Amino acid sequence: MPSLFLLVPVLVLALFSVLLYRRLVRAPRYRPRWLHLGAAGLLLGLGIAVFVGFAYQNASLDSAVARLVGVIGMTWLATAFYLLIGILLGTLVALGLRLARRSDLVTRWHRRSVPVIVTLSLVITGYGLIEARQLRVTEQAVTIPGLAAAFDGYRVAVVSDLHVGPTRGADLSAGVVELTNGADPDVVLVVGDLTDGTTDQFGEALAPLDGFDAPDGVFAVTGNHEYYAGDAAGWVERWRDIGITPLLNEASTIHRGGATLRLAGVSDTTGSAEEFDADDPGLRADLAGALADVTGNEPTILLAHQPGVGTDPAVAAAGIDLMVSGHTHGGQIWPFTLLVGLANPTTAGLDTIEGTTAYTTRGAGTWGPPVRFLVPPEISLLTLTRDA
């Protein structure tokens, strides 16, 4: 069975490489033999780099060289995606020429369009590498009905989706802490997907998060990627080591000036899947348990990695005032920004899900390609305000 799982992506990548070769080299009828051999060799090497990247993430390879090759492979995935878009558009034009009985122009079209497609794909990827490192704080006011005067103006930092490890390390964690502390939050809410890998591999990459400075603390829930490496329990313990309080289907209360603000956190649904079924029940999603102490008589913020949790009727029934999530990356790479909404009730920013106010952050990092295009990373700062 493991060999079958490996065979499928190998075949997909091989077929994709053949498609690129045929459309970018064969279709324009380039004659130099060195160009054909060079393109074939480059596509083969980049395909191998992709698998090295996944092997490094899964701890099958562990060296600085493997990490560098893996980063190149992951970056290539973004370039290949835009090459595919260009090829599809170019094929449509070529088809139009044939339908117009101008087949004599097809080869000329390919020769002129291929350099443009390749150049634009490389430029977009290069820009995306830069944009992915332009982390910023975005601010949003959120009105909470019945919010006590003591919490009017309360500042909530929402941090998510660092995905440190395979392509970014402690530098990203340190940058997140610096920007978050500079925003002067009252509490920090971390909504999952902090890493890709195991604690043995990347545990130290989160060490800078020990520097979060918020008077009411730092709270976190698991995301789907905490489970993929089979080390969710280890990551939760690592969070505790660096001063982050996990909310494993449970709630906590913040007191200020005689008033209270409730925080409820639900573990990600991935922990309930058969292949990731965790020994600790707290690592399996239990929304009812997370909401057990929520009475609806006090303002409550629900932490849930995936915004889809908001579609559960239990959320609206509990009278949740605000749900904060991550997971979507805002799409990360355009035009996935248009597609991510098909799998999630909201993509990014402030929205309403089944009557519940929800905020979804684009996240601070990247997954797969270390690239963002027209979807900048963010740390979200929510300022709670009283209803008029």
Side-chain angles (χ1 to χ4, degrees), residues 2-68:
S3 60
L4 179 61
F5 285 138
L6 181 62
L7 180 60
V8 172
V10 167
L11 287 176
V12 170
L13 193 58
L15 290 173
F16 182 64
S17 297
V18 170
L19 172 65
L20 289 179
Y21 174 76
R22 288 182 60 86
R23 291 301 183 186
L24 299 180
V25 182
R26 288 284 299 276
R29 297 185 182 180
Y30 292 127
R31 294 186 179 278
R33 185 175 179 81
W34 65 264
L35 181 60
H36 287 257
L37 292 175
L42 180 62
L43 289 170
L44 176 61
L46 290 171
I48 292 173
V50 171
F51 284 98
V52 170
F54 283 114
Y56 179 78
Q57 179 176 318
N58 295 327
S60 299
L61 294 174
D62 185 14
S63 70
V65 173
R67 178 171 184 167
L68 175 60

Short mmCIF file of all heavy atoms in Angstrom, two decimals, residues 2-68:
data_model
loop_
_atom_site.label_atom_id
_atom_site.label_comp_id
_atom_site.label_asym_id
_atom_site.label_seq_id
_atom_site.Cartn_x
_atom_site.Cartn_y
_atom_site.Cartn_z
N PRO A 2 1.92 1.39 0.85
CA PRO A 2 2.76 2.60 0.79
C PRO A 2 3.33 2.83 -0.59
O PRO A 2 3.45 3.96 -1.05
CB PRO A 2 3.85 2.30 1.83
CG PRO A 2 3.22 1.35 2.79
CD PRO A 2 2.32 0.49 1.94
N SER A 3 3.72 1.69 -1.31
CA SER A 3 4.28 1.86 -2.65
C SER A 3 3.25 2.44 -3.61
O SER A 3 3.59 3.20 -4.52
CB SER A 3 4.80 0.51 -3.16
OG SER A 3 3.75 -0.44 -3.22
N LEU A 4 1.96 2.07 -3.42
CA LEU A 4 0.91 2.60 -4.26
C LEU A 4 0.74 4.10 -4.03
O LEU A 4 0.58 4.88 -4.98
CB LEU A 4 -0.40 1.87 -3.98
CG LEU A 4 -1.63 2.34 -4.79
CD1 LEU A 4 -1.38 2.16 -6.27
CD2 LEU A 4 -2.87 1.58 -4.34
N PHE A 5 0.78 4.50 -2.75
CA PHE A 5 0.65 5.92 -2.43
C PHE A 5 1.79 6.72 -3.04
O PHE A 5 1.62 7.87 -3.44
CB PHE A 5 0.64 6.13 -0.91
CG PHE A 5 -0.66 5.74 -0.26
CD1 PHE A 5 -0.67 5.05 0.94
CD2 PHE A 5 -1.87 6.05 -0.86
CE1 PHE A 5 -1.87 4.69 1.53
CE2 PHE A 5 -3.08 5.69 -0.28
CZ PHE A 5 -3.08 5.00 0.92
N LEU A 6 2.98 6.11 -3.16
CA LEU A 6 4.11 6.79 -3.76
C LEU A 6 4.00 6.80 -5.27
O LEU A 6 4.39 7.77 -5.93
CB LEU A 6 5.41 6.11 -3.32
CG LEU A 6 6.72 6.73 -3.85
CD1 LEU A 6 6.85 8.17 -3.35
CD2 LEU A 6 7.91 5.89 -3.41
N LEU A 7 3.48 5.72 -5.83
CA LEU A 7 3.40 5.59 -7.28
C LEU A 7 2.48 6.64 -7.90
O LEU A 7 2.78 7.21 -8.95
CB LEU A 7 2.90 4.19 -7.64
CG LEU A 7 2.76 3.89 -9.15
CD1 LEU A 7 4.11 4.02 -9.84
CD2 LEU A 7 2.17 2.50 -9.35
N VAL A 8 1.36 6.93 -7.23
CA VAL A 8 0.39 7.88 -7.78
C VAL A 8 1.01 9.27 -7.97
O VAL A 8 0.95 9.83 -9.07
CB VAL A 8 -0.87 7.94 -6.91
CG1 VAL A 8 -1.79 9.07 -7.37
CG2 VAL A 8 -1.61 6.61 -6.97
N PRO A 9 1.61 9.89 -6.92
CA PRO A 9 2.21 11.22 -7.15
C PRO A 9 3.36 11.20 -8.15
O PRO A 9 3.57 12.17 -8.88
CB PRO A 9 2.67 11.66 -5.75
CG PRO A 9 2.76 10.41 -4.95
CD PRO A 9 1.72 9.49 -5.49
N VAL A 10 4.11 10.08 -8.20
CA VAL A 10 5.20 9.98 -9.18
C VAL A 10 4.64 10.03 -10.59
O VAL A 10 5.15 10.75 -11.46
CB VAL A 10 6.02 8.69 -8.96
CG1 VAL A 10 6.93 8.43 -10.16
CG2 VAL A 10 6.85 8.79 -7.69
N LEU A 11 3.57 9.29 -10.83
CA LEU A 11 2.95 9.27 -12.15
C LEU A 11 2.36 10.63 -12.51
O LEU A 11 2.51 11.10 -13.65
CB LEU A 11 1.87 8.20 -12.21
CG LEU A 11 2.35 6.74 -12.24
CD1 LEU A 11 1.16 5.79 -12.20
CD2 LEU A 11 3.18 6.48 -13.49
N VAL A 12 1.70 11.26 -11.55
CA VAL A 12 1.10 12.58 -11.80
C VAL A 12 2.18 13.59 -12.16
O VAL A 12 2.05 14.35 -13.13
CB VAL A 12 0.31 13.06 -10.57
CG1 VAL A 12 -0.10 14.53 -10.74
CG2 VAL A 12 -0.93 12.19 -10.37
N LEU A 13 3.27 13.59 -11.38
CA LEU A 13 4.34 14.55 -11.64
C LEU A 13 5.03 14.25 -12.97
O LEU A 13 5.40 15.16 -13.72
CB LEU A 13 5.36 14.51 -10.50
CG LEU A 13 6.39 15.64 -10.46
CD1 LEU A 13 5.68 16.99 -10.36
CD2 LEU A 13 7.34 15.46 -9.29
N ALA A 14 5.18 12.96 -13.29
CA ALA A 14 5.81 12.58 -14.55
C ALA A 14 4.96 13.04 -15.74
O ALA A 14 5.48 13.60 -16.71
CB ALA A 14 6.02 11.07 -14.60
N LEU A 15 3.66 12.81 -15.66
CA LEU A 15 2.76 13.22 -16.74
C LEU A 15 2.75 14.73 -16.89
O LEU A 15 2.71 15.27 -18.01
CB LEU A 15 1.35 12.69 -16.48
CG LEU A 15 1.17 11.17 -16.62
CD1 LEU A 15 -0.24 10.76 -16.17
CD2 LEU A 15 1.41 10.72 -18.06
N PHE A 16 2.78 15.42 -15.77
CA PHE A 16 2.79 16.88 -15.81
C PHE A 16 4.08 17.38 -16.46
O PHE A 16 4.06 18.33 -17.26
CB PHE A 16 2.65 17.44 -14.40
CG PHE A 16 2.60 18.94 -14.34
CD1 PHE A 16 1.56 19.64 -14.93
CD2 PHE A 16 3.60 19.65 -13.71
CE1 PHE A 16 1.51 21.02 -14.90
CE2 PHE A 16 3.56 21.04 -13.67
CZ PHE A 16 2.52 21.72 -14.26
N SER A 17 5.20 16.75 -16.12
CA SER A 17 6.49 17.15 -16.71
C SER A 17 6.48 16.92 -18.22
O SER A 17 7.01 17.73 -18.99
CB SER A 17 7.63 16.37 -16.06
OG SER A 17 7.72 16.67 -14.67
N VAL A 18 5.89 15.79 -18.65
CA VAL A 18 5.78 15.51 -20.08
C VAL A 18 4.93 16.58 -20.77
O VAL A 18 5.26 17.05 -21.87
CB VAL A 18 5.18 14.11 -20.32
CG1 VAL A 18 4.84 13.92 -21.80
CG2 VAL A 18 6.15 13.04 -19.86
N LEU A 19 3.84 16.98 -20.12
CA LEU A 19 2.98 18.03 -20.67
C LEU A 19 3.75 19.33 -20.85
O LEU A 19 3.67 19.99 -21.90
CB LEU A 19 1.77 18.25 -19.75
CG LEU A 19 0.87 19.44 -20.09
CD1 LEU A 19 0.20 19.24 -21.45
CD2 LEU A 19 -0.19 19.65 -19.00
N LEU A 20 4.50 19.72 -19.82
CA LEU A 20 5.29 20.95 -19.91
C LEU A 20 6.31 20.85 -21.05
O LEU A 20 6.50 21.81 -21.82
CB LEU A 20 6.01 21.21 -18.58
CG LEU A 20 5.16 21.63 -17.39
CD1 LEU A 20 6.03 21.83 -16.16
CD2 LEU A 20 4.38 22.91 -17.68
N TYR A 21 6.96 19.71 -21.15
CA TYR A 21 7.97 19.54 -22.20
C TYR A 21 7.34 19.65 -23.59
O TYR A 21 7.87 20.35 -24.46
CB TYR A 21 8.65 18.18 -22.04
CG TYR A 21 9.60 17.84 -23.16
CD1 TYR A 21 10.86 18.44 -23.22
CD2 TYR A 21 9.24 16.94 -24.16
CE1 TYR A 21 11.74 18.14 -24.25
CE2 TYR A 21 10.10 16.64 -25.20
CZ TYR A 21 11.35 17.24 -25.24
OH TYR A 21 12.22 16.94 -26.27
N ARG A 22 6.21 19.01 -23.77
CA ARG A 22 5.57 19.02 -25.09
C ARG A 22 5.09 20.42 -25.47
O ARG A 22 5.24 20.84 -26.62
CB ARG A 22 4.39 18.04 -25.11
CG ARG A 22 4.81 16.57 -25.11
CD ARG A 22 3.59 15.66 -25.18
NE ARG A 22 2.82 15.91 -26.39
CZ ARG A 22 3.06 15.34 -27.56
NH1 ARG A 22 4.08 14.50 -27.69
NH2 ARG A 22 2.30 15.59 -28.62
N ARG A 23 4.51 21.14 -24.50
CA ARG A 23 3.94 22.45 -24.82
C ARG A 23 4.97 23.57 -24.87
O ARG A 23 4.81 24.53 -25.63
CB ARG A 23 2.86 22.80 -23.78
CG ARG A 23 1.62 21.93 -23.87
CD ARG A 23 0.99 22.04 -25.24
NE ARG A 23 -0.25 21.27 -25.35
CZ ARG A 23 -0.92 21.11 -26.48
NH1 ARG A 23 -0.47 21.65 -27.59
NH2 ARG A 23 -2.03 20.39 -26.50
N LEU A 24 6.03 23.44 -24.05
CA LEU A 24 7.00 24.53 -23.97
C LEU A 24 8.20 24.33 -24.89
O LEU A 24 8.91 25.29 -25.20
CB LEU A 24 7.48 24.71 -22.53
CG LEU A 24 6.41 25.07 -21.50
CD1 LEU A 24 7.04 25.20 -20.12
CD2 LEU A 24 5.69 26.36 -21.89
N VAL A 25 8.45 23.09 -25.32
CA VAL A 25 9.63 22.82 -26.15
C VAL A 25 9.25 22.20 -27.50
O VAL A 25 9.71 22.65 -28.56
CB VAL A 25 10.61 21.89 -25.40
CG1 VAL A 25 11.86 21.64 -26.27
CG2 VAL A 25 11.01 22.48 -24.07
N ARG A 26 8.40 21.19 -27.47
CA ARG A 26 8.04 20.50 -28.71
C ARG A 26 7.08 21.33 -29.57
O ARG A 26 7.27 21.44 -30.79
CB ARG A 26 7.40 19.14 -28.39
CG ARG A 26 8.36 18.09 -27.85
CD ARG A 26 9.22 17.50 -28.96
NE ARG A 26 8.41 16.84 -29.97
CZ ARG A 26 7.96 15.60 -29.89
NH1 ARG A 26 8.24 14.86 -28.81
NH2 ARG A 26 7.25 15.07 -30.87
N ALA A 27 6.02 21.87 -28.95
CA ALA A 27 5.01 22.59 -29.74
C ALA A 27 5.59 23.76 -30.53
O ALA A 27 5.21 23.98 -31.69
CB ALA A 27 3.88 23.06 -28.82
N PRO A 28 6.53 24.55 -29.96
CA PRO A 28 7.11 25.65 -30.75
C PRO A 28 8.11 25.16 -31.80
O PRO A 28 8.64 25.97 -32.59
CB PRO A 28 7.83 26.50 -29.69
CG PRO A 28 7.26 26.07 -28.39
CD PRO A 28 6.93 24.63 -28.55
N ARG A 29 8.41 23.83 -31.76
CA ARG A 29 9.33 23.20 -32.71
C ARG A 29 10.73 23.82 -32.64
O ARG A 29 11.35 24.14 -33.68
CB ARG A 29 8.79 23.28 -34.14
CG ARG A 29 7.48 22.51 -34.31
CD ARG A 29 7.02 22.51 -35.74
NE ARG A 29 5.74 21.80 -35.87
CZ ARG A 29 5.08 21.64 -37.01
NH1 ARG A 29 5.60 22.15 -38.14
NH2 ARG A 29 3.94 21.00 -37.05
N TYR A 30 11.20 24.01 -31.42
CA TYR A 30 12.58 24.47 -31.25
C TYR A 30 13.52 23.36 -31.72
O TYR A 30 13.33 22.18 -31.40
CB TYR A 30 12.85 24.79 -29.77
CG TYR A 30 12.09 26.00 -29.27
CD1 TYR A 30 11.31 25.90 -28.11
CD2 TYR A 30 12.16 27.21 -29.92
CE1 TYR A 30 10.61 27.00 -27.63
CE2 TYR A 30 11.47 28.32 -29.45
CZ TYR A 30 10.69 28.21 -28.30
OH TYR A 30 10.01 29.29 -27.84
N ARG A 31 14.55 23.73 -32.47
CA ARG A 31 15.41 22.73 -33.09
C ARG A 31 16.65 22.35 -32.28
O ARG A 31 17.08 21.20 -32.33
CB ARG A 31 15.85 23.24 -34.48
CG ARG A 31 14.69 23.35 -35.45
CD ARG A 31 15.18 23.70 -36.84
NE ARG A 31 14.07 23.80 -37.78
CZ ARG A 31 13.52 22.77 -38.38
NH1 ARG A 31 13.97 21.55 -38.13
NH2 ARG A 31 12.51 22.93 -39.23
N PRO A 32 17.30 23.27 -31.56
CA PRO A 32 18.56 22.90 -30.90
C PRO A 32 18.41 21.67 -29.99
O PRO A 32 17.53 21.64 -29.13
CB PRO A 32 18.92 24.15 -30.10
CG PRO A 32 18.23 25.25 -30.81
CD PRO A 32 16.95 24.67 -31.33
N ARG A 33 19.27 20.70 -30.19
CA ARG A 33 19.19 19.47 -29.39
C ARG A 33 19.49 19.76 -27.92
O ARG A 33 18.90 19.16 -27.01
CB ARG A 33 20.20 18.45 -29.94
CG ARG A 33 20.11 17.09 -29.26
CD ARG A 33 21.05 16.10 -29.95
NE ARG A 33 21.01 14.80 -29.30
CZ ARG A 33 20.07 13.89 -29.51
NH1 ARG A 33 19.09 14.14 -30.37
NH2 ARG A 33 20.12 12.72 -28.90
N TRP A 34 20.42 20.71 -27.70
CA TRP A 34 20.78 21.03 -26.31
C TRP A 34 19.59 21.58 -25.54
O TRP A 34 19.47 21.36 -24.32
CB TRP A 34 21.94 22.02 -26.27
CG TRP A 34 21.61 23.39 -26.85
CD1 TRP A 34 21.85 23.81 -28.11
CD2 TRP A 34 20.97 24.48 -26.16
NE1 TRP A 34 21.41 25.11 -28.28
CE2 TRP A 34 20.86 25.55 -27.09
CE3 TRP A 34 20.49 24.68 -24.88
CZ2 TRP A 34 20.29 26.77 -26.78
CZ3 TRP A 34 19.92 25.90 -24.54
CH2 TRP A 34 19.83 26.93 -25.49
N LEU A 35 18.69 22.29 -26.26
CA LEU A 35 17.52 22.84 -25.59
C LEU A 35 16.57 21.72 -25.15
O LEU A 35 16.04 21.74 -24.03
CB LEU A 35 16.81 23.81 -26.53
CG LEU A 35 15.56 24.51 -25.97
CD1 LEU A 35 15.92 25.33 -24.75
CD2 LEU A 35 14.92 25.39 -27.04
N HIS A 36 16.39 20.73 -26.01
CA HIS A 36 15.52 19.60 -25.66
C HIS A 36 16.10 18.81 -24.49
O HIS A 36 15.39 18.47 -23.54
CB HIS A 36 15.34 18.69 -26.89
CG HIS A 36 14.46 19.27 -27.93
ND1 HIS A 36 13.15 18.87 -28.11
CD2 HIS A 36 14.67 20.24 -28.86
CE1 HIS A 36 12.60 19.55 -29.10
NE2 HIS A 36 13.51 20.39 -29.58
N LEU A 37 17.40 18.51 -24.57
CA LEU A 37 18.03 17.74 -23.50
C LEU A 37 18.06 18.53 -22.19
O LEU A 37 17.82 17.99 -21.11
CB LEU A 37 19.46 17.36 -23.91
CG LEU A 37 19.58 16.36 -25.07
CD1 LEU A 37 21.04 16.16 -25.45
CD2 LEU A 37 18.93 15.03 -24.68
N GLY A 38 18.36 19.84 -22.31
CA GLY A 38 18.41 20.67 -21.11
C GLY A 38 17.05 20.78 -20.43
O GLY A 38 16.94 20.70 -19.21
N ALA A 39 15.99 20.98 -21.24
CA ALA A 39 14.65 21.10 -20.68
C ALA A 39 14.22 19.80 -20.01
O ALA A 39 13.65 19.79 -18.91
CB ALA A 39 13.66 21.48 -21.78
N ALA A 40 14.50 18.67 -20.65
CA ALA A 40 14.14 17.37 -20.07
C ALA A 40 14.89 17.14 -18.76
O ALA A 40 14.31 16.69 -17.76
CB ALA A 40 14.44 16.25 -21.06
N GLY A 41 16.19 17.47 -18.76
CA GLY A 41 16.98 17.29 -17.54
C GLY A 41 16.51 18.20 -16.41
O GLY A 41 16.45 17.79 -15.25
N LEU A 42 16.17 19.44 -16.77
CA LEU A 42 15.71 20.39 -15.76
C LEU A 42 14.38 19.94 -15.15
O LEU A 42 14.20 19.99 -13.92
CB LEU A 42 15.56 21.78 -16.39
CG LEU A 42 15.08 22.90 -15.45
CD1 LEU A 42 16.08 23.12 -14.33
CD2 LEU A 42 14.86 24.19 -16.23
N LEU A 43 13.46 19.51 -15.99
CA LEU A 43 12.17 19.04 -15.48
C LEU A 43 12.33 17.82 -14.59
O LEU A 43 11.66 17.69 -13.56
CB LEU A 43 11.23 18.73 -16.65
CG LEU A 43 10.71 19.94 -17.42
CD1 LEU A 43 9.98 19.48 -18.69
CD2 LEU A 43 9.77 20.77 -16.55
N LEU A 44 13.23 16.92 -14.97
CA LEU A 44 13.49 15.74 -14.14
C LEU A 44 14.08 16.14 -12.80
O LEU A 44 13.64 15.65 -11.74
CB LEU A 44 14.44 14.80 -14.87
CG LEU A 44 14.89 13.54 -14.09
CD1 LEU A 44 13.68 12.68 -13.74
CD2 LEU A 44 15.92 12.75 -14.89
N GLY A 45 15.05 17.04 -12.82
CA GLY A 45 15.68 17.49 -11.57
C GLY A 45 14.71 18.19 -10.65
O GLY A 45 14.71 17.98 -9.43
N LEU A 46 13.86 19.04 -11.22
CA LEU A 46 12.89 19.76 -10.39
C LEU A 46 11.84 18.81 -9.82
O LEU A 46 11.37 18.99 -8.68
CB LEU A 46 12.21 20.86 -11.22
CG LEU A 46 13.12 22.04 -11.59
CD1 LEU A 46 12.41 22.95 -12.59
CD2 LEU A 46 13.52 22.82 -10.35
N GLY A 47 11.47 17.80 -10.58
CA GLY A 47 10.55 16.80 -10.07
C GLY A 47 11.14 16.05 -8.89
O GLY A 47 10.46 15.81 -7.88
N ILE A 48 12.41 15.69 -8.99
CA ILE A 48 13.09 15.03 -7.87
C ILE A 48 13.15 15.96 -6.65
O ILE A 48 12.96 15.53 -5.51
CB ILE A 48 14.51 14.60 -8.29
CG1 ILE A 48 14.42 13.49 -9.34
CG2 ILE A 48 15.32 14.14 -7.09
CD1 ILE A 48 15.75 13.11 -9.96
N ALA A 49 13.38 17.24 -6.91
CA ALA A 49 13.45 18.22 -5.81
C ALA A 49 12.13 18.30 -5.04
O ALA A 49 12.12 18.49 -3.83
CB ALA A 49 13.83 19.59 -6.35
N VAL A 50 11.01 18.15 -5.75
CA VAL A 50 9.71 18.16 -5.09
C VAL A 50 9.62 17.02 -4.09
O VAL A 50 9.20 17.20 -2.94
CB VAL A 50 8.57 18.06 -6.12
CG1 VAL A 50 7.23 17.84 -5.42
CG2 VAL A 50 8.51 19.31 -6.99
N PHE A 51 10.04 15.84 -4.50
CA PHE A 51 9.97 14.68 -3.61
C PHE A 51 10.97 14.80 -2.46
O PHE A 51 10.70 14.34 -1.34
CB PHE A 51 10.19 13.39 -4.39
CG PHE A 51 8.99 12.98 -5.19
CD1 PHE A 51 8.90 13.28 -6.53
CD2 PHE A 51 7.91 12.35 -4.57
CE1 PHE A 51 7.77 12.94 -7.26
CE2 PHE A 51 6.78 12.01 -5.30
CZ PHE A 51 6.71 12.29 -6.64
N VAL A 52 12.11 15.42 -2.71
CA VAL A 52 13.06 15.68 -1.63
C VAL A 52 12.43 16.60 -0.58
O VAL A 52 12.60 16.40 0.62
CB VAL A 52 14.36 16.30 -2.17
CG1 VAL A 52 15.25 16.79 -1.03
CG2 VAL A 52 15.12 15.28 -3.01
N GLY A 53 11.67 17.60 -1.05
CA GLY A 53 11.00 18.52 -0.14
C GLY A 53 10.02 17.81 0.76
O GLY A 53 10.00 18.03 1.99
N PHE A 54 9.21 16.93 0.19
CA PHE A 54 8.25 16.19 1.01
C PHE A 54 8.96 15.19 1.92
O PHE A 54 8.52 14.95 3.05
CB PHE A 54 7.23 15.49 0.11
CG PHE A 54 6.18 16.41 -0.43
CD1 PHE A 54 6.10 16.68 -1.79
CD2 PHE A 54 5.27 17.04 0.41
CE1 PHE A 54 5.14 17.54 -2.30
CE2 PHE A 54 4.31 17.90 -0.08
CZ PHE A 54 4.23 18.15 -1.44
N ALA A 55 10.05 14.59 1.43
CA ALA A 55 10.80 13.65 2.25
C ALA A 55 11.43 14.36 3.45
O ALA A 55 11.47 13.82 4.56
CB ALA A 55 11.87 12.96 1.41
N TYR A 56 11.92 15.58 3.23
CA TYR A 56 12.49 16.34 4.34
C TYR A 56 11.42 16.69 5.37
O TYR A 56 11.63 16.57 6.57
CB TYR A 56 13.14 17.62 3.81
CG TYR A 56 13.73 18.49 4.90
CD1 TYR A 56 14.96 18.16 5.48
CD2 TYR A 56 13.06 19.61 5.37
CE1 TYR A 56 15.50 18.94 6.48
CE2 TYR A 56 13.60 20.40 6.37
CZ TYR A 56 14.82 20.06 6.92
OH TYR A 56 15.35 20.82 7.93
N GLN A 57 10.26 17.10 4.87
CA GLN A 57 9.16 17.44 5.77
C GLN A 57 8.73 16.23 6.60
O GLN A 57 8.36 16.36 7.76
CB GLN A 57 7.97 17.95 4.97
CG GLN A 57 6.75 18.31 5.80
CD GLN A 57 5.65 18.91 4.96
OE1 GLN A 57 5.90 19.73 4.08
NE2 GLN A 57 4.43 18.48 5.18
N ASN A 58 8.79 15.03 6.00
CA ASN A 58 8.37 13.81 6.69
C ASN A 58 9.51 13.14 7.43
O ASN A 58 9.36 12.00 7.88
CB ASN A 58 7.76 12.83 5.68
CG ASN A 58 6.49 13.36 5.07
OD1 ASN A 58 5.73 14.07 5.71
ND2 ASN A 58 6.24 13.03 3.80
N ALA A 59 10.65 13.80 7.55
CA ALA A 59 11.81 13.31 8.31
C ALA A 59 12.47 12.10 7.66
O ALA A 59 13.27 11.42 8.29
CB ALA A 59 11.41 12.97 9.75
N SER A 60 12.16 11.82 6.38
CA SER A 60 12.84 10.74 5.68
C SER A 60 14.25 11.18 5.28
O SER A 60 15.15 10.35 5.10
CB SER A 60 12.05 10.33 4.43
OG SER A 60 10.76 9.88 4.78
N LEU A 61 14.44 12.48 5.11
CA LEU A 61 15.76 13.06 4.85
C LEU A 61 15.99 14.17 5.87
O LEU A 61 15.05 14.87 6.25
CB LEU A 61 15.84 13.63 3.44
CG LEU A 61 15.74 12.64 2.27
CD1 LEU A 61 15.69 13.40 0.95
CD2 LEU A 61 16.92 11.67 2.27
N ASP A 62 17.23 14.33 6.30
CA ASP A 62 17.50 15.35 7.31
C ASP A 62 18.92 15.90 7.12
O ASP A 62 19.88 15.36 7.66
CB ASP A 62 17.34 14.76 8.72
CG ASP A 62 17.49 15.83 9.79
OD1 ASP A 62 17.46 17.03 9.45
OD2 ASP A 62 17.64 15.48 10.98
N SER A 63 19.03 16.94 6.32
CA SER A 63 20.31 17.61 6.13
C SER A 63 20.06 18.98 5.55
O SER A 63 18.98 19.26 5.02
CB SER A 63 21.21 16.80 5.19
OG SER A 63 20.71 16.84 3.87
N ALA A 64 21.05 19.84 5.65
CA ALA A 64 20.92 21.19 5.11
C ALA A 64 20.76 21.15 3.59
O ALA A 64 20.01 21.95 3.02
CB ALA A 64 22.14 22.02 5.49
N VAL A 65 21.44 20.21 2.96
CA VAL A 65 21.32 20.08 1.50
C VAL A 65 19.91 19.66 1.12
O VAL A 65 19.31 20.20 0.18
CB VAL A 65 22.35 19.07 0.96
CG1 VAL A 65 22.13 18.81 -0.52
CG2 VAL A 65 23.77 19.58 1.19
N ALA A 66 19.36 18.68 1.86
CA ALA A 66 18.00 18.22 1.57
C ALA A 66 17.00 19.35 1.75
O ALA A 66 16.06 19.48 0.96
CB ALA A 66 17.64 17.05 2.48
N ARG A 67 17.22 20.18 2.76
CA ARG A 67 16.29 21.29 2.98
C ARG A 67 16.37 22.28 1.82
O ARG A 67 15.34 22.75 1.33
CB ARG A 67 16.61 22.00 4.29
CG ARG A 67 15.69 23.19 4.53
CD ARG A 67 15.83 23.77 5.91
NE ARG A 67 14.85 24.85 6.10
CZ ARG A 67 14.57 25.39 7.25
NH1 ARG A 67 15.15 24.95 8.34
NH2 ARG A 67 13.68 26.36 7.34
N LEU A 68 17.59 22.61 1.38
CA LEU A 68 17.76 23.56 0.28
C LEU A 68 17.12 23.02 -1.00
O LEU A 68 16.38 23.74 -1.69
CB LEU A 68 19.24 23.83 0.05
CG LEU A 68 19.58 24.73 -1.16
CD1 LEU A 68 18.93 26.10 -1.00
CD2 LEU A 68 21.09 24.86 -1.32
#
